[in-house]
Amino acid sequence: QAPIQATCEEDISCKTGFPEDVHSAVVSRSVHGGQPLLNVRFRSCDGNKKIHFGSSEPEAFRVGEDGVVYAERSFQLSAEPTEFVVSAQDKETQQEWQMRVKLTPEPPFTGASEKDQRKIEDIIFPWQQYKQSSPLKRQKRDWVIPPINLPENSKGPFPQELVRIRSDRDKSLSLRYSVTGPGADQPPTGIFIINPISGQLSVTKPLDREQIASFHLRAHAVDVNGNQVENPIDIVINVIDMNDNRPEFLHQVWNGTVPEGSKPGTYVMTVTAIDADDPNAQNGMLRYRILSQAPSSPSPNMFTINNETGDIITVAAGLDREKVQQYTLIIQATDMEGNPTYGLSNTATAVITVTDVNDNPPEFTAMTFYGEVPENRVDVIVANLTVTDKDQPHTPAWNAMYRMTGGDPTGRFTILTDPNSNDGLVTVVKPIDFETNRLFVLTVAAENQVPLAKGIQHPPQSTATVSITVIDVNESPYFVPNPKLVRQEEGLLAGSMLTTFTAQDPDRYMQQISLRYSKVSDPANWLKIDPVNGQITTTAVLDRESIYVQNNMYNATFLASDNGIPPMSGTGTLQIYLLDINDNAPQVHPKEATTCETLQPNAINITAVDPDIDPNAGPFAFELPDTPASIKRNWTIVRISGDHAQLSLRIRFLEAGIYDVPIVITDSGNPHASSTSLLKVKVCQCDLNGDCTDVDRIVGAGLGTGAIIAILLCIIILLILVLMFVVWMKRRDKERQAKQLLIDPEDDVRDNILKYDEEGGGEEDQDYDLSQLQQPDTVEPDAIKPVGIRRLDERPIHAEPQYPVRSAAPHPGDIGDFINEGLKAADNDPTAPPYDSLLVFDYEGSGSTAGSLSSLNSSSSGGEQDYDYLNDWGPRFKKLADMYGGGDD
């Protein structure tokens, strides 16, 4: 099929624009948003023009780029035609064309018989008329094809004929008809078919408006060669809605709330149902109603529902959460505008919870509450105040707040609220003295966190009385005053009475026997206290200059204990302010000084130090003693201030060395105190700057005591380390000498390998006495062993003959000579026993597979044996073969 092109023939006058000024169309009375209504035709002589369509009522109608007019919203057409203007504008030249569109509602459905409904209508393509006398061609305007209305869910038979499409040129030409668009050759395909010869358009199956509400098809007429004969025409098929869907609630259970005590007309909630049928037709118009209410107290009609919007409101008073906390409503939605006969229905459940408001104040369960508390106790709960509140627990309308309205002017109590039980906890926050207050009568009030709702007749708060009894307990005695200050001159002798420091017992209503006193703290151990009357006396001389005295103040602590049940005690501090007396003579500082042996420069600055304070200290007087005479002859002293003086040489030269210069210093006390202090002066040779240049002062000064002690300690530690090392070496040598080469038979361990060349081993890697191998006969014989189990390689126990003394080998390495000497001695020994005597060097156990060696001849018979077989034993025995084999040479 050839594509449709918007072009004109060369010999025909072409005019760009709408083909008609007024376009009329018949559409259904109920229009829904997005529904296509009609298709406007626009001719463009230049096929490349870009046309933009618009509507004079864009809020109601929209024109697509393909010329299809769509409804922007849902509405009902009135009986009068609806008119609006469709405009077309060239995007390049901005040229604009307009056409007026008139929409007429289709006649109402009259319920005619199916046979009348299926009466076939012919749709004829527009025809063309030509003038013979004029080259111009006049073309008839396109027909406006009214939409075809087809009910959904039709029962057939199928295919069902709808309309017949034909061209008035089918009499002279053989034409072929076709339709295109969704439902024909586009998905969903095959719903509409056309007879290509007769042009009969049919539907092949039932339609569902809820899936596709309308179809837009385009009919074509071509000749047998595929050439377009007529311009395509648009066919709109609207699917007529049938009531085939029940209303469906968005939720099966709806939850809402309403405060208790709400007035009639209070909004509660909105329920919503939807219907898949046309919402603008009766099939989709829903109505709501309440079928039932549970419970029906206090009225069976506590709520009503707006039948169109689904809003639920209250219609009766009396909502009380304390009586009914929840209502359950069964809601029904019916289409066909609620027609019970023809409409379809569905139900849902609305659960309405009555929320709490503060319509009940808290009420005390008793008019008077009682409690008791021991004196001097804090943070103790003395009474529980209980209340009842009918409102919902753990809400601001239920939570109670307590306050005291009287009976506690000093603020010794507070009331806290238990968040779980809502009880009021009366708590002591300040200590209570039984001797002052024995009973408290409090007035308390309770109210909610939020005020009562308006219109409630109850008082906003409840009041009660709390009676609290104070229990007397044994209290600690206390010293008066505490601390106690005593001014006393230092130097008070031991055994002197200083003061009396007593305590008081606050328990006036308890039978106490007495108080006992004791000392807790006395840093200098100067004081003692009488345990009965609290009299404090001295045990040593009070000294203001003691290290335990700070800022002339000495502190001591004492304890007072009663004999109550339980016993209680209290402490008190005695502060002794010691007044200074002139009991200390001044001393020179520093004790050592250095000066030059010449007169200049040789000044030494000294300072007088006195532990006493004014007026028993400075200013001080400095002088040199008269004896020995050399002091004043060699030295002179001048005071430069109240505490400082300057010592210098009186003579021009004093030989270098160390000199002890006595200095007499006298303070300003009354009476005066003086002392003679020795100043060790080191005189040395000095350079031009006054610094010592010789080492005499260093030698003279010597090493300090600390340095000498440190050196001695280092020497002692070094000697101890050396001694320990020597002892360890001696012990190691003894352990080496104690090890024997031969193993005692009782400790014999057989089949062991002795490794003599192992380095860094254990006890086996020890030195052995090789003299046993060099001179076996020199080894002292062991004691005679008892009869019993003996080693197989030991000699018999019977007496042995005396052998001649054999010479020892000259060197451990000459083992061959040693063996040869032994053989010679054995051969020449006339006292040799009738058995072979073997020297056992190591025992490898019994049961050897080797033959006996008893038949071996001595070295004297060696020439009779043949040793040539040693040449066959390999390189290792070559030397032995050379020695014994090879003939007589």
Side-chain angles (χ1 to χ4, degrees), residues 136-169:
L136 297 177
K137 178 174 63 177
R138 178 176 179 271
Q139 180 175 338
K140 185 179 180 181
R141 295 178 181 176
D142 293 348
W143 286 2
V144 177
I145 308 301
I148 301 173
N149 296 322
L150 184 64
E152 65 173 334
N153 302 324
S154 175
K155 296 182 179 180
F158 296 101
Q160 178 180 346
E161 297 179 353
L162 300 179
V163 294
R164 181 178 292 106
I165 301 173
R166 68 182 186 86
S167 173
D168 55 358
R169 301 180 63 185

Coordinates of all heavy atoms in Angstrom, one line a residue, residues 136-169:
L136 N -9.1 24.2 -13.9 CA -9.1 24.1 -12.5 C -10.0 22.9 -12.1 O -11.0 22.6 -12.7 CB -9.6 25.4 -11.8 CG -8.8 26.6 -12.1 CD1 -9.4 27.9 -11.5 CD2 -7.4 26.4 -11.5
K137 N -9.6 22.3 -11.0 CA -10.4 21.1 -10.4 C -11.0 21.5 -9.1 O -10.3 22.0 -8.2 CB -9.5 20.0 -10.3 CG -10.2 18.7 -9.7 CD -9.3 17.5 -9.6 CE -8.1 17.8 -8.7 NZ -7.2 16.6 -8.6
R138 N -12.3 21.3 -9.0 CA -13.0 21.6 -7.7 C -13.2 20.3 -6.9 O -13.8 19.4 -7.5 CB -14.4 22.3 -8.1 CG -15.2 22.6 -6.8 CD -16.5 23.4 -7.3 NE -17.3 23.7 -6.1 CZ -18.2 22.9 -5.7 NH1 -18.4 21.7 -6.2 NH2 -18.9 23.2 -4.6
Q139 N -12.8 20.3 -5.7 CA -12.8 19.1 -4.9 C -13.8 19.3 -3.8 O -13.9 20.4 -3.1 CB -11.5 18.9 -4.2 CG -11.4 17.6 -3.4 CD -10.0 17.3 -2.9 OE1 -9.1 17.8 -3.5 NE2 -9.9 16.6 -1.8
K140 N -14.7 18.3 -3.6 CA -15.7 18.4 -2.5 C -15.0 18.2 -1.2 O -14.1 17.5 -1.0 CB -16.7 17.3 -2.7 CG -17.9 17.3 -1.8 CD -18.9 16.2 -2.1 CE -20.0 16.3 -1.1 NZ -21.0 15.2 -1.3
R141 N -15.5 18.9 -0.2 CA -15.0 18.8 1.2 C -15.2 17.4 1.7 O -16.1 16.6 1.4 CB -15.7 19.8 2.1 CG -15.5 21.2 1.8 CD -16.2 22.1 2.7 NE -16.0 23.5 2.4 CZ -16.6 24.5 3.0 NH1 -17.5 24.3 3.9 NH2 -16.4 25.8 2.6
D142 N -14.2 17.0 2.6 CA -14.3 15.7 3.3 C -15.5 15.6 4.1 O -16.0 16.5 4.8 CB -13.1 15.4 4.2 CG -11.8 15.3 3.3 OD1 -12.0 15.2 2.1 OD2 -10.7 15.3 3.9
W143 N -16.1 14.4 4.1 CA -17.2 14.1 5.0 C -16.8 14.0 6.5 O -15.7 13.5 6.7 CB -18.0 12.8 4.6 CG -18.8 13.0 3.4 CD1 -18.9 14.1 2.6 CD2 -19.6 12.0 2.8 NE1 -19.7 13.8 1.5 CE2 -20.2 12.5 1.6 CE3 -19.9 10.6 3.1 CZ2 -21.0 11.8 0.8 CZ3 -20.7 10.0 2.3 CH2 -21.3 10.5 1.1
V144 N -17.6 14.4 7.4 CA -17.4 14.1 8.8 C -18.1 12.9 9.2 O -19.4 12.9 9.2 CB -17.8 15.3 9.7 CG1 -17.7 15.0 11.1 CG2 -17.1 16.6 9.3
I145 N -17.4 11.8 9.5 CA -18.0 10.5 9.9 C -18.3 10.5 11.3 O -17.4 10.7 12.2 CB -17.1 9.4 9.5 CG1 -16.6 9.5 8.0 CG2 -17.7 8.1 9.7 CD1 -17.7 9.5 7.0
P146 N -19.6 10.4 11.7 CA -20.0 10.3 13.1 C -19.3 9.1 13.8 O -19.2 8.0 13.1 CB -21.5 10.2 13.1 CG -21.9 10.7 11.8 CD -20.8 10.3 10.8
P147 N -19.0 9.2 15.0 CA -18.4 8.0 15.7 C -19.4 6.8 15.7 O -20.6 7.0 15.8 CB -18.1 8.5 17.1 CG -18.0 10.0 17.0 CD -19.0 10.3 15.9
I148 N -18.9 5.6 15.7 CA -19.7 4.4 15.8 C -19.7 4.0 17.2 O -18.6 3.8 17.8 CB -19.1 3.3 14.9 CG1 -19.1 3.8 13.4 CG2 -19.9 2.0 15.0 CD1 -18.4 2.9 12.5
N149 N -20.8 3.8 17.8 CA -21.0 3.4 19.2 C -21.3 1.9 19.2 O -22.2 1.4 18.6 CB -22.1 4.1 19.9 CG -21.8 5.6 20.0 OD1 -20.6 6.0 20.2 ND2 -22.8 6.4 19.8
L150 N -20.4 1.1 20.0 CA -20.6 -0.3 20.0 C -20.6 -0.7 21.5 O -19.6 -0.4 22.2 CB -19.4 -1.0 19.3 CG -19.5 -2.5 19.2 CD1 -20.7 -2.9 18.4 CD2 -18.2 -3.0 18.5
P151 N -21.6 -1.4 22.0 CA -21.7 -1.8 23.4 C -20.6 -2.8 23.7 O -20.2 -3.7 22.9 CB -23.1 -2.4 23.6 CG -23.8 -1.9 22.4 CD -22.9 -1.7 21.3
E152 N -20.0 -2.8 24.9 CA -19.0 -3.8 25.3 C -19.8 -5.0 25.7 O -21.0 -5.1 25.9 CB -18.2 -3.2 26.5 CG -19.0 -3.0 27.8 CD -18.1 -2.7 29.0 OE1 -16.9 -3.0 29.0 OE2 -18.6 -2.0 29.9
N153 N -19.0 -6.1 25.7 CA -19.4 -7.4 26.2 C -20.6 -8.0 25.3 O -21.5 -8.7 25.8 CB -19.9 -7.4 27.6 CG -18.8 -6.9 28.6 OD1 -17.7 -7.2 28.4 ND2 -19.2 -6.2 29.6
S154 N -20.6 -7.6 24.0 CA -21.6 -8.1 23.1 C -21.4 -9.6 23.0 O -20.3 -10.1 22.9 CB -21.5 -7.4 21.8 OG -22.4 -7.9 20.8
K155 N -22.6 -10.3 22.8 CA -22.6 -11.8 22.7 C -22.5 -12.3 21.3 O -22.5 -13.4 21.0 CB -23.8 -12.3 23.4 CG -23.8 -12.1 24.9 CD -25.0 -12.7 25.6 CE -25.0 -12.5 27.1 NZ -26.2 -13.1 27.7
G156 N -22.4 -11.3 20.3 CA -22.3 -11.8 18.9 C -23.6 -11.9 18.2 O -24.6 -11.4 18.6
P157 N -23.7 -12.7 17.1 CA -22.6 -13.6 16.6 C -21.4 -12.8 16.0 O -21.7 -11.7 15.6 CB -23.2 -14.5 15.6 CG -24.4 -13.7 15.1 CD -24.9 -12.9 16.3
F158 N -20.3 -13.3 15.9 CA -19.1 -12.7 15.4 C -18.6 -13.4 14.2 O -18.8 -14.7 14.1 CB -18.0 -12.6 16.5 CG -18.3 -11.8 17.7 CD1 -18.7 -12.4 18.9 CD2 -18.3 -10.4 17.6 CE1 -19.1 -11.7 20.0 CE2 -18.6 -9.7 18.7 CZ -19.0 -10.3 19.9
P159 N -18.0 -12.8 13.2 CA -17.8 -11.3 13.2 C -19.2 -10.6 13.0 O -20.0 -11.0 12.3 CB -16.9 -11.1 12.0 CG -17.1 -12.3 11.2 CD -17.5 -13.4 12.0
Q160 N -19.3 -9.4 13.7 CA -20.5 -8.6 13.6 C -20.2 -7.4 12.7 O -19.3 -6.7 12.9 CB -20.8 -8.1 15.1 CG -22.0 -7.3 15.2 CD -22.3 -6.8 16.6 OE1 -21.7 -7.4 17.5 NE2 -23.1 -5.8 16.8
E161 N -21.1 -7.2 11.8 CA -20.9 -6.2 10.8 C -21.3 -4.8 11.4 O -22.2 -4.7 12.2 CB -21.8 -6.4 9.6 CG -21.5 -7.7 8.8 CD -22.4 -7.9 7.6 OE1 -23.3 -7.1 7.5 OE2 -22.1 -8.8 6.8
L162 N -20.4 -3.8 11.1 CA -20.6 -2.5 11.6 C -21.1 -1.5 10.6 O -22.2 -1.0 10.6 CB -19.3 -2.0 12.3 CG -18.8 -2.9 13.4 CD1 -17.5 -2.3 13.9 CD2 -19.8 -3.0 14.5
V163 N -20.2 -1.3 9.6 CA -20.6 -0.3 8.5 C -20.0 -0.9 7.2 O -19.1 -1.8 7.2 CB -20.0 1.1 8.8 CG1 -20.7 1.7 10.0 CG2 -18.5 1.1 9.0
R164 N -20.4 -0.3 6.1 CA -19.9 -0.6 4.8 C -19.2 0.6 4.2 O -19.9 1.7 4.1 CB -20.9 -1.2 3.8 CG -20.4 -1.6 2.5 CD -21.5 -2.1 1.5 NE -21.9 -3.5 2.0 CZ -23.1 -3.7 2.6 NH1 -23.9 -2.6 2.8 NH2 -23.5 -4.9 3.0
I165 N -18.0 0.5 3.8 CA -17.2 1.6 3.3 C -17.1 1.4 1.8 O -16.7 0.3 1.4 CB -15.8 1.7 4.0 CG1 -16.0 1.9 5.5 CG2 -15.0 2.8 3.4 CD1 -14.7 1.8 6.2
R166 N -17.4 2.4 1.0 CA -17.3 2.3 -0.5 C -17.0 3.7 -1.1 O -17.2 4.7 -0.4 CB -18.6 1.7 -1.1 CG -19.8 2.6 -1.0 CD -21.0 1.9 -1.6 NE -22.1 2.8 -1.7 CZ -22.4 3.6 -2.7 NH1 -21.5 3.7 -3.8 NH2 -23.4 4.4 -2.8
S167 N -16.5 3.6 -2.3 CA -16.2 4.8 -3.0 C -17.2 4.9 -4.2 O -17.6 3.9 -4.8 CB -14.8 4.8 -3.5 OG -14.5 5.9 -4.4
D168 N -17.5 6.2 -4.6 CA -18.4 6.3 -5.7 C -17.7 6.1 -7.0 O -18.4 6.1 -8.1 CB -19.1 7.7 -5.7 CG -18.0 8.8 -5.7 OD1 -16.8 8.4 -5.6 OD2 -18.3 10.0 -5.7
R169 N -16.5 5.7 -7.0 CA -15.7 5.4 -8.2 C -15.6 3.9 -8.4 O -14.9 3.4 -9.3 CB -14.3 6.1 -8.2 CG -14.4 7.6 -8.0 CD -13.0 8.2 -8.0 NE -12.4 8.0 -9.3 CZ -11.1 8.3 -9.5 NH1 -10.4 8.9 -8.6 NH2 -10.5 8.1 -10.7

